[in-house]
Amino acid sequence: MSIKIAVFSAKPYDREFLASALNAKKQENNGDGMPFDLVFHDFALGLDSVALARGATAVCVFVNDVLNAAVLEALYAEGVRAVLLRCAGFNHVDLVKAETLGFFVANVPSYSPEAVAEFSVALLQTLNRRTHRAYNRVREGNFALDGLLGITLHGKTVGVVGTGRIGLAAARIFKGYGCRILAYDPYKSDDFLVENLGAYEDDLDTLLPQCDFVSLHCPLTKGTHHIINEHTLAKMKPGAMLVNTSRGGLISTKPVIAALKSRHLGGVALDVYEGEGGLFYNDHSGDIIEDDELMRLMTFPNVILCGHQAFFTVEALTEIANVTLQNFADFLLSRPCPNSLVRSHKLFIRRDSYPVRI
Ligand code: NAD
């Protein structure tokens, strides 16, 4: 008998990387010891799709799957006992409810901070040097440079908001460009200080007026929701550019649009968007998109938007698949799991019948 993991929001690349990680583990164990079945669903997890998890011990979900109290209760009723996040962020999971119900919940906290940091800088430089516009222009035989003027990064001040794994990796890259780095994080990083990457400011209000570029790398929490708002935008240096590869909810979109219209903001590069759930990761090119703020954002020549792809590298997908299976094995074997997001969960005591070896 095998144990089922219902994988939601499963794209072809999820299927490929999870299936090949599972096969590799099975081969390592001579075909036994990995009694998992992966059942893939294209749909996102939500109240209307919970029934697809029937018979599964775990659900495996991504950033735009919904795991609120109602969904967790419904999953529990279907017999699901573990939630495996194929991502680092867990703002979309009601952890208190999960813990109350006795769910095991684990994430992949660090699959490739460099992948996200590299993408942040790439996005910022695309915005700054207008390579997205140049690409289209030269394909039409237009080699004029008007409108493509950028700013040299060397010597400029970059504000890094959040110096965890990704913020730190971004700071190292910005340092390589010769930037002056200012950071804000309520919990200062020893690595940031030891590596002499830059200086900390005590609050955003002090940091923002000094920065030519601001890069967001903090998680979405109650405290960071709309951390970029009318007040903080007004503090930013005129012409400064903002990049967000963290979570859409860090930014309040309406005042950003106003700051772009007034020319106070020099540009915005986004990999994430507050209303991305239900839109991102799917093809809506033939649909009428209802989100007027998103559509307005996309009309600015100095706004770049990507569909939450900063993590999307071979290395990151490999790591996500391996760690997700490892987390599940920890749950099945009632082993301590370093990536558990709940303090306690009901143990899965079937060790003898399901000899999982990872
Ligand atoms: P991390 O936990 O290592 O670091 C987050 C840092 O933010 C911590 O140092 C924390 O102290 C700091 N922080 C908390 N509140 C803050 C505040 N109010 N102001 C400033 N800093 C604050 O996380 P990480 O691995 O660096 O990831 C950061 C975020 O990136 C994740 O939460 C996730 O939302 C996002 N992410 C996005 C992608 C993508 O593909 N776009 C991929 C992975 C992660």
mmCIF file of all heavy atoms in Angstrom, residues 88-89 91 109 111 113 116 161-167 184-187 217-221 223-224 227 245-247 271-272 308-312, ligand 1:
data_model
loop_
_atom_site.group_PDB
_atom_site.id
_atom_site.type_symbol
_atom_site.label_atom_id
_atom_site.label_comp_id
_atom_site.label_asym_id
_atom_site.label_seq_id
_atom_site.Cartn_x
_atom_site.Cartn_y
_atom_site.Cartn_z
ATOM 1 N N ALA A 88 9.140 28.956 0.368
ATOM 2 C CA ALA A 88 9.669 29.429 1.658
ATOM 3 C C ALA A 88 8.578 30.165 2.438
ATOM 4 O O ALA A 88 8.362 29.921 3.620
ATOM 5 C CB ALA A 88 10.859 30.349 1.412
ATOM 6 N N GLY A 89 7.870 31.078 1.741
ATOM 7 C CA GLY A 89 6.858 31.913 2.405
ATOM 8 C C GLY A 89 5.680 31.064 2.879
ATOM 9 O O GLY A 89 5.309 30.075 2.234
ATOM 10 N N ASN A 91 2.818 32.787 4.428
ATOM 11 C CA ASN A 91 1.792 33.767 4.783
ATOM 12 C C ASN A 91 0.392 33.316 4.343
ATOM 13 O O ASN A 91 -0.610 33.855 4.805
ATOM 14 C CB ASN A 91 2.120 35.132 4.164
ATOM 15 C CG ASN A 91 2.433 35.021 2.690
ATOM 16 O OD1 ASN A 91 3.516 34.593 2.323
ATOM 17 N ND2 ASN A 91 1.483 35.371 1.847
ATOM 18 N N PRO A 109 12.723 26.294 3.351
ATOM 19 C CA PRO A 109 13.064 27.666 3.739
ATOM 20 C C PRO A 109 14.115 28.319 2.851
ATOM 21 O O PRO A 109 14.119 29.526 2.672
ATOM 22 C CB PRO A 109 13.570 27.532 5.178
ATOM 23 C CG PRO A 109 13.906 26.095 5.364
ATOM 24 C CD PRO A 109 13.090 25.311 4.384
ATOM 25 N N TYR A 111 15.779 27.440 -0.746
ATOM 26 C CA TYR A 111 16.103 26.542 -1.856
ATOM 27 C C TYR A 111 17.139 27.148 -2.773
ATOM 28 O O TYR A 111 17.916 26.452 -3.363
ATOM 29 C CB TYR A 111 14.871 26.115 -2.642
ATOM 30 C CG TYR A 111 13.799 27.149 -2.786
ATOM 31 C CD1 TYR A 111 13.835 28.047 -3.813
ATOM 32 C CD2 TYR A 111 12.749 27.204 -1.880
ATOM 33 C CE1 TYR A 111 12.840 28.992 -3.955
ATOM 34 C CE2 TYR A 111 11.755 28.143 -2.017
ATOM 35 C CZ TYR A 111 11.800 29.040 -3.047
ATOM 36 O OH TYR A 111 10.826 29.983 -3.189
ATOM 37 N N PRO A 113 18.534 31.082 -2.324
ATOM 38 C CA PRO A 113 18.426 32.530 -2.105
ATOM 39 C C PRO A 113 19.115 33.319 -3.213
ATOM 40 O O PRO A 113 18.653 34.395 -3.622
ATOM 41 C CB PRO A 113 19.108 32.761 -0.752
ATOM 42 C CG PRO A 113 19.700 31.474 -0.326
ATOM 43 C CD PRO A 113 19.176 30.384 -1.194
ATOM 44 N N VAL A 116 16.856 34.013 -6.265
ATOM 45 C CA VAL A 116 15.915 35.129 -6.097
ATOM 46 C C VAL A 116 16.670 36.460 -6.099
ATOM 47 O O VAL A 116 16.245 37.436 -6.737
ATOM 48 C CB VAL A 116 15.092 34.961 -4.792
ATOM 49 C CG1 VAL A 116 14.088 36.083 -4.648
ATOM 50 C CG2 VAL A 116 14.388 33.612 -4.778
ATOM 51 N N VAL A 161 15.837 46.025 2.211
ATOM 52 C CA VAL A 161 14.874 45.913 3.312
ATOM 53 C C VAL A 161 14.687 44.430 3.631
ATOM 54 O O VAL A 161 14.054 43.703 2.872
ATOM 55 C CB VAL A 161 13.530 46.588 2.940
ATOM 56 C CG1 VAL A 161 12.536 46.472 4.100
ATOM 57 C CG2 VAL A 161 13.759 48.046 2.564
ATOM 58 N N GLY A 162 15.284 44.002 4.721
ATOM 59 C CA GLY A 162 15.284 42.578 5.072
ATOM 60 C C GLY A 162 16.613 41.969 4.677
ATOM 61 O O GLY A 162 16.913 41.838 3.482
ATOM 62 N N THR A 163 17.432 41.619 5.683
ATOM 63 C CA THR A 163 18.750 41.033 5.376
ATOM 64 C C THR A 163 18.804 39.582 5.850
ATOM 65 O O THR A 163 19.722 39.170 6.544
ATOM 66 C CB THR A 163 19.896 41.856 6.032
ATOM 67 O OG1 THR A 163 19.561 42.054 7.415
ATOM 68 C CG2 THR A 163 20.089 43.172 5.334
ATOM 69 N N GLY A 164 17.773 38.832 5.474
ATOM 70 C CA GLY A 164 17.787 37.384 5.691
ATOM 71 C C GLY A 164 18.588 36.754 4.560
ATOM 72 O O GLY A 164 19.477 37.378 3.975
ATOM 73 N N ARG A 165 18.224 35.527 4.222
ATOM 74 C CA ARG A 165 19.002 34.792 3.214
ATOM 75 C C ARG A 165 19.041 35.518 1.871
ATOM 76 O O ARG A 165 20.109 35.690 1.272
ATOM 77 C CB ARG A 165 18.417 33.392 3.030
ATOM 78 C CG ARG A 165 18.730 32.471 4.183
ATOM 79 C CD ARG A 165 17.863 31.242 4.120
ATOM 80 N NE ARG A 165 16.517 31.570 4.536
ATOM 81 C CZ ARG A 165 15.879 31.004 5.555
ATOM 82 N NH1 ARG A 165 16.464 30.053 6.229
ATOM 83 N NH2 ARG A 165 14.657 31.355 5.887
ATOM 84 N N ILE A 166 17.876 35.961 1.377
ATOM 85 C CA ILE A 166 17.838 36.571 0.042
ATOM 86 C C ILE A 166 18.406 37.996 0.077
ATOM 87 O O ILE A 166 19.188 38.383 -0.801
ATOM 88 C CB ILE A 166 16.395 36.546 -0.514
ATOM 89 C CG1 ILE A 166 15.937 35.092 -0.695
ATOM 90 C CG2 ILE A 166 16.309 37.303 -1.841
ATOM 91 C CD1 ILE A 166 14.462 34.918 -1.028
ATOM 92 N N GLY A 167 18.031 38.755 1.111
ATOM 93 C CA GLY A 167 18.545 40.125 1.221
ATOM 94 C C GLY A 167 20.062 40.151 1.289
ATOM 95 O O GLY A 167 20.721 41.004 0.678
ATOM 96 N N TYR A 184 17.750 47.851 6.298
ATOM 97 C CA TYR A 184 16.866 47.915 7.456
ATOM 98 C C TYR A 184 16.341 46.517 7.732
ATOM 99 O O TYR A 184 15.848 45.843 6.825
ATOM 100 C CB TYR A 184 15.701 48.890 7.245
ATOM 101 C CG TYR A 184 14.681 48.720 8.339
ATOM 102 C CD1 TYR A 184 15.012 49.015 9.655
ATOM 103 C CD2 TYR A 184 13.417 48.197 8.074
ATOM 104 C CE1 TYR A 184 14.109 48.800 10.685
ATOM 105 C CE2 TYR A 184 12.505 47.978 9.101
ATOM 106 C CZ TYR A 184 12.867 48.283 10.406
ATOM 107 O OH TYR A 184 11.984 48.058 11.429
ATOM 108 N N ASP A 185 16.476 46.095 8.959
ATOM 109 C CA ASP A 185 15.942 44.807 9.406
ATOM 110 C C ASP A 185 15.864 44.886 10.920
ATOM 111 O O ASP A 185 16.857 45.236 11.569
ATOM 112 C CB ASP A 185 16.889 43.658 8.958
ATOM 113 C CG ASP A 185 16.257 42.273 9.148
ATOM 114 O OD1 ASP A 185 15.634 42.029 10.199
ATOM 115 O OD2 ASP A 185 16.402 41.436 8.235
ATOM 116 N N PRO A 186 14.699 44.610 11.502
ATOM 117 C CA PRO A 186 14.614 44.657 12.971
ATOM 118 C C PRO A 186 15.569 43.659 13.640
ATOM 119 O O PRO A 186 15.910 43.827 14.805
ATOM 120 C CB PRO A 186 13.154 44.328 13.273
ATOM 121 C CG PRO A 186 12.525 43.912 12.006
ATOM 122 C CD PRO A 186 13.419 44.274 10.867
ATOM 123 N N TYR A 187 15.958 42.610 12.890
ATOM 124 C CA TYR A 187 16.921 41.636 13.427
ATOM 125 C C TYR A 187 18.164 41.696 12.553
ATOM 126 O O TYR A 187 18.182 41.136 11.450
ATOM 127 C CB TYR A 187 16.331 40.226 13.434
ATOM 128 C CG TYR A 187 15.016 40.166 14.154
ATOM 129 C CD1 TYR A 187 13.813 40.265 13.443
ATOM 130 C CD2 TYR A 187 14.963 40.064 15.542
ATOM 131 C CE1 TYR A 187 12.588 40.249 14.109
ATOM 132 C CE2 TYR A 187 13.744 40.048 16.213
ATOM 133 C CZ TYR A 187 12.565 40.144 15.487
ATOM 134 O OH TYR A 187 11.362 40.135 16.146
ATOM 135 N N HIS A 217 13.091 42.583 0.681
ATOM 136 C CA HIS A 217 13.401 41.162 0.929
ATOM 137 C C HIS A 217 12.898 40.685 2.281
ATOM 138 O O HIS A 217 13.470 39.765 2.869
ATOM 139 C CB HIS A 217 14.917 40.928 0.813
ATOM 140 C CG HIS A 217 15.443 41.276 -0.536
ATOM 141 N ND1 HIS A 217 15.144 40.541 -1.658
ATOM 142 C CD2 HIS A 217 16.190 42.330 -0.951
ATOM 143 C CE1 HIS A 217 15.710 41.107 -2.707
ATOM 144 N NE2 HIS A 217 16.346 42.197 -2.311
ATOM 145 N N CYS A 218 11.829 41.330 2.782
ATOM 146 C CA CYS A 218 11.283 40.862 4.067
ATOM 147 C C CYS A 218 10.030 40.031 3.806
ATOM 148 O O CYS A 218 9.407 40.156 2.757
ATOM 149 C CB CYS A 218 10.990 42.045 4.985
ATOM 150 S SG CYS A 218 9.919 43.278 4.265
ATOM 151 N N PRO A 219 9.667 39.188 4.737
ATOM 152 C CA PRO A 219 8.472 38.358 4.526
ATOM 153 C C PRO A 219 7.208 39.185 4.685
ATOM 154 O O PRO A 219 7.251 40.284 5.258
ATOM 155 C CB PRO A 219 8.569 37.304 5.631
ATOM 156 C CG PRO A 219 9.396 37.941 6.689
ATOM 157 C CD PRO A 219 10.305 38.925 6.037
ATOM 158 N N LEU A 220 6.100 38.655 4.211
ATOM 159 C CA LEU A 220 4.811 39.327 4.411
ATOM 160 C C LEU A 220 4.227 38.871 5.754
ATOM 161 O O LEU A 220 3.951 37.689 5.953
ATOM 162 C CB LEU A 220 3.851 38.970 3.273
ATOM 163 C CG LEU A 220 2.441 39.553 3.395
ATOM 164 C CD1 LEU A 220 2.470 41.076 3.409
ATOM 165 C CD2 LEU A 220 1.546 39.055 2.263
ATOM 166 N N THR A 221 4.088 39.826 6.653
ATOM 167 C CA THR A 221 3.486 39.548 7.962
ATOM 168 C C THR A 221 2.502 40.686 8.233
ATOM 169 O O THR A 221 2.411 41.626 7.434
ATOM 170 C CB THR A 221 4.549 39.560 9.074
ATOM 171 O OG1 THR A 221 5.125 40.886 9.122
ATOM 172 C CG2 THR A 221 5.655 38.548 8.840
ATOM 173 N N GLY A 223 2.966 42.924 10.317
ATOM 174 C CA GLY A 223 3.819 44.110 10.494
ATOM 175 C C GLY A 223 4.384 44.661 9.189
ATOM 176 O O GLY A 223 4.776 45.830 9.135
ATOM 177 N N THR A 224 4.491 43.831 8.162
ATOM 178 C CA THR A 224 5.091 44.325 6.911
ATOM 179 C C THR A 224 4.047 44.548 5.808
ATOM 180 O O THR A 224 4.400 44.997 4.719
ATOM 181 C CB THR A 224 6.155 43.338 6.367
ATOM 182 O OG1 THR A 224 5.519 42.080 6.111
ATOM 183 C CG2 THR A 224 7.288 43.148 7.341
ATOM 184 N N ILE A 227 4.025 47.832 3.716
ATOM 185 C CA ILE A 227 5.174 48.568 4.265
ATOM 186 C C ILE A 227 5.543 49.716 3.288
ATOM 187 O O ILE A 227 6.067 50.748 3.691
ATOM 188 C CB ILE A 227 6.346 47.575 4.494
ATOM 189 C CG1 ILE A 227 7.344 48.107 5.490
ATOM 190 C CG2 ILE A 227 7.029 47.181 3.237
ATOM 191 C CD1 ILE A 227 8.362 47.047 5.916
ATOM 192 N N THR A 245 10.667 41.436 -5.072
ATOM 193 C CA THR A 245 10.564 40.021 -5.438
ATOM 194 C C THR A 245 10.092 39.219 -4.234
ATOM 195 O O THR A 245 10.178 37.993 -4.238
ATOM 196 C CB THR A 245 11.931 39.444 -5.889
ATOM 197 O OG1 THR A 245 12.863 39.617 -4.822
ATOM 198 C CG2 THR A 245 12.440 40.107 -7.150
ATOM 199 N N SER A 246 9.607 39.922 -3.209
ATOM 200 C CA SER A 246 9.306 39.218 -1.955
ATOM 201 C C SER A 246 7.859 38.739 -1.912
ATOM 202 O O SER A 246 7.581 37.583 -2.211
ATOM 203 C CB SER A 246 9.649 40.115 -0.783
ATOM 204 O OG SER A 246 9.885 39.340 0.344
ATOM 205 N N ARG A 247 6.951 39.602 -1.558
ATOM 206 C CA ARG A 247 5.518 39.276 -1.585
ATOM 207 C C ARG A 247 4.757 40.527 -1.982
ATOM 208 O O ARG A 247 5.076 41.637 -1.523
ATOM 209 C CB ARG A 247 5.026 38.797 -0.216
ATOM 210 C CG ARG A 247 5.390 37.368 0.118
ATOM 211 C CD ARG A 247 4.647 36.343 -0.765
ATOM 212 N NE ARG A 247 5.008 34.963 -0.468
ATOM 213 C CZ ARG A 247 5.984 34.279 -1.048
ATOM 214 N NH1 ARG A 247 6.724 34.838 -1.992
ATOM 215 N NH2 ARG A 247 6.210 33.023 -0.720
ATOM 216 N N ASP A 271 8.103 41.298 -9.177
ATOM 217 C CA ASP A 271 7.953 39.878 -9.519
ATOM 218 C C ASP A 271 6.716 39.326 -8.831
ATOM 219 O O ASP A 271 6.288 38.207 -9.119
ATOM 220 C CB ASP A 271 9.197 39.094 -9.047
ATOM 221 C CG ASP A 271 9.153 37.639 -9.479
ATOM 222 O OD1 ASP A 271 8.845 37.398 -10.667
ATOM 223 O OD2 ASP A 271 9.396 36.751 -8.647
ATOM 224 N N VAL A 272 6.177 40.106 -7.910
ATOM 225 C CA VAL A 272 5.036 39.668 -7.104
ATOM 226 C C VAL A 272 4.029 40.808 -7.060
ATOM 227 O O VAL A 272 4.391 41.977 -7.205
ATOM 228 C CB VAL A 272 5.504 39.306 -5.673
ATOM 229 C CG1 VAL A 272 6.267 38.005 -5.651
ATOM 230 C CG2 VAL A 272 6.354 40.421 -5.069
ATOM 231 N N HIS A 308 5.973 36.110 -10.732
ATOM 232 C CA HIS A 308 6.491 35.356 -9.576
ATOM 233 C C HIS A 308 7.426 34.231 -10.034
ATOM 234 O O HIS A 308 7.162 33.057 -9.798
ATOM 235 C CB HIS A 308 5.323 34.797 -8.752
ATOM 236 C CG HIS A 308 5.677 34.597 -7.305
ATOM 237 N ND1 HIS A 308 4.796 34.811 -6.287
ATOM 238 C CD2 HIS A 308 6.839 34.202 -6.704
ATOM 239 C CE1 HIS A 308 5.381 34.538 -5.127
ATOM 240 N NE2 HIS A 308 6.627 34.174 -5.355
ATOM 241 N N GLN A 309 8.502 34.630 -10.676
ATOM 242 C CA GLN A 309 9.405 33.633 -11.246
ATOM 243 C C GLN A 309 10.838 33.725 -10.714
ATOM 244 O O GLN A 309 11.733 33.043 -11.215
ATOM 245 C CB GLN A 309 9.432 33.769 -12.772
ATOM 246 C CG GLN A 309 10.111 35.053 -13.274
ATOM 247 C CD GLN A 309 10.316 35.054 -14.780
ATOM 248 O OE1 GLN A 309 9.437 35.458 -15.518
ATOM 249 N NE2 GLN A 309 11.474 34.599 -15.242
ATOM 250 N N ALA A 310 11.040 34.568 -9.684
ATOM 251 C CA ALA A 310 12.418 34.767 -9.219
ATOM 252 C C ALA A 310 13.072 33.462 -8.775
ATOM 253 O O ALA A 310 14.274 33.270 -8.910
ATOM 254 C CB ALA A 310 12.449 35.795 -8.089
ATOM 255 N N PHE A 311 12.259 32.545 -8.256
ATOM 256 C CA PHE A 311 12.804 31.281 -7.741
ATOM 257 C C PHE A 311 13.126 30.284 -8.860
ATOM 258 O O PHE A 311 13.747 29.262 -8.606
ATOM 259 C CB PHE A 311 11.747 30.610 -6.827
ATOM 260 C CG PHE A 311 10.600 30.042 -7.613
ATOM 261 C CD1 PHE A 311 10.539 28.689 -7.923
ATOM 262 C CD2 PHE A 311 9.612 30.864 -8.099
ATOM 263 C CE1 PHE A 311 9.501 28.166 -8.681
ATOM 264 C CE2 PHE A 311 8.561 30.355 -8.866
ATOM 265 C CZ PHE A 311 8.510 29.009 -9.154
ATOM 266 N N PHE A 312 12.682 30.579 -10.082
ATOM 267 C CA PHE A 312 12.531 29.557 -11.118
ATOM 268 C C PHE A 312 13.846 29.207 -11.808
ATOM 269 O O PHE A 312 14.124 29.640 -12.925
ATOM 270 C CB PHE A 312 11.503 30.084 -12.124
ATOM 271 C CG PHE A 312 10.862 29.014 -12.969
ATOM 272 C CD1 PHE A 312 10.255 27.924 -12.403
ATOM 273 C CD2 PHE A 312 10.847 29.132 -14.349
ATOM 274 C CE1 PHE A 312 9.651 26.951 -13.176
ATOM 275 C CE2 PHE A 312 10.244 28.176 -15.141
ATOM 276 C CZ PHE A 312 9.650 27.081 -14.550
HETATM 277 P P1 NAD B 1 14.460 35.135 5.617
HETATM 278 O O1 NAD B 1 13.508 34.691 6.661
HETATM 279 O O2 NAD B 1 15.802 34.493 5.527
HETATM 280 O O3 NAD B 1 14.714 36.711 5.768
HETATM 281 C C1 NAD B 1 13.698 37.639 5.960
HETATM 282 C C2 NAD B 1 14.295 38.800 6.721
HETATM 283 O O4 NAD B 1 13.311 39.840 6.788
HETATM 284 C C3 NAD B 1 14.686 38.446 8.159
HETATM 285 O O5 NAD B 1 16.027 38.811 8.396
HETATM 286 C C4 NAD B 1 13.719 39.268 9.000
HETATM 287 O O6 NAD B 1 14.297 39.708 10.219
HETATM 288 C C5 NAD B 1 13.460 40.440 8.070
HETATM 289 N N1 NAD B 1 12.302 41.232 8.433
HETATM 290 C C6 NAD B 1 11.196 40.864 9.125
HETATM 291 N N2 NAD B 1 10.380 41.917 9.302
HETATM 292 C C7 NAD B 1 10.985 42.978 8.703
HETATM 293 C C8 NAD B 1 10.633 44.341 8.539
HETATM 294 N N3 NAD B 1 9.517 44.842 9.065
HETATM 295 N N4 NAD B 1 11.483 45.138 7.866
HETATM 296 C C9 NAD B 1 12.635 44.649 7.361
HETATM 297 N N5 NAD B 1 13.026 43.371 7.487
HETATM 298 C C10 NAD B 1 12.200 42.544 8.149
HETATM 299 O O7 NAD B 1 13.679 35.016 4.248
HETATM 300 P P2 NAD B 1 14.320 34.928 2.786
HETATM 301 O O8 NAD B 1 14.623 33.518 2.466
HETATM 302 O O9 NAD B 1 15.385 35.952 2.655
HETATM 303 O O10 NAD B 1 13.046 35.325 1.895
HETATM 304 C C11 NAD B 1 12.487 36.612 1.961
HETATM 305 C C12 NAD B 1 11.142 36.586 1.261
HETATM 306 O O11 NAD B 1 11.331 36.378 -0.135
HETATM 307 C C13 NAD B 1 10.241 35.409 1.677
HETATM 308 O O12 NAD B 1 9.491 35.719 2.830
HETATM 309 C C14 NAD B 1 9.364 35.221 0.488
HETATM 310 O O13 NAD B 1 8.175 35.969 0.702
HETATM 311 C C15 NAD B 1 10.149 35.845 -0.663
HETATM 312 N N6 NAD B 1 10.496 34.871 -1.710
HETATM 313 C C16 NAD B 1 10.127 35.147 -2.992
HETATM 314 C C17 NAD B 1 10.462 34.274 -4.014
HETATM 315 C C18 NAD B 1 10.098 34.540 -5.461
HETATM 316 O O14 NAD B 1 10.170 33.626 -6.288
HETATM 317 N N7 NAD B 1 9.721 35.745 -5.829
HETATM 318 C C19 NAD B 1 11.161 33.094 -3.714
HETATM 319 C C20 NAD B 1 11.517 32.848 -2.394
HETATM 320 C C21 NAD B 1 11.187 33.744 -1.394
#
